Amino acid sequence: MSDMHDQKVLKVAPTGAFEVVVQLADDQPSGLGWLPNGDLLIVAMSSRRLLRFDGSEISVHADLSELASGLCNDMVVDKTGRAYVGNFGFDLHNGAAQRNAELILVEPDGTARCVNDEVLFPNGTVITPDDATLIVAETLAGRLTAFDLDSNGDLSHRRVWAQLPKGAVPDGICLDAGGGIWSASPSTNNCIRQIEGGAVTHEISLERGAFACMIGDDQLYILTSTTSKPDQCKIKREARVEVYPAPYRAAGRP
């Protein structure tokens, strides 16, 4: 789990015990994923780089600064080690006008290219179990958008997989074995499960904003906080992981 404002990647046990896996000195970790050999990939937000941790040393896997127009954000890694990295697209925290962003593909050897530049704040991303479809949360558009994945890692046949209910925005997302996607929505203080087409099958109401979610065994883990503003997060330090029963086990990637 990335504790971005404390610049740490953490390993958290179901008991609540945790240990620091990686401490970054000058950047914020965001999306995480693993290469086939077990090396950990870490999105470094401010420097717009993809880092690689082999268990002892951190190296730069790919420099995305020439491709990403905003702070880099979430990521999904496929079974071959291809990483798909999103970014803000504009200066969110200083009131810049919204604009579309790039979804960047990083090959296992670290070479990178843009595979789509018309997504609005691409955030949580999943790949279906058959490795045929990538679904990305377009946070500021309030929708989940699907693409076909080809053997070269390219994207095609863009379509809306689900539009979230009015007022809800998908931040982190996860896919389950029932074919549904859970979306953590910070704007509506809930976590919503939808099936393709948009029908809502489950909803978990929360007292705080939901920013990420993930299924482990029979549990749905939801990361919540009262704010996403960086200065307030650093002062309040009150984010937490909440646990709820999951109707289905995890599927696909991550």
Side-chain angles (χ1 to χ4, degrees), residues 85-105:
V85 183
N87 74 88
F88 286 16
F90 62 97
D91 191 347
L92 173 70
H93 298 300
N94 288 305
Q98 290 185 16
R99 62 177 298 276
N100 287 337
E102 305 80 16
L103 195 59
I104 299 167
L105 166 61

Side-chain angles (χ1 to χ4, degrees), residues 61-62 64 105-113:
H61 186 60
L64 310 180
L105 166 61
V106 181
E107 297 284 359
D109 65 0
T111 57
R113 56 190 169 90

Side-chain angles (χ1 to χ4, degrees), residues 21 64 70 95 106 174 178 183-184 190 209 229 247 254:
V21 177
L64 310 180
V106 181
C174 62
S183 297
N190 59 3
K229 295 180 179 179

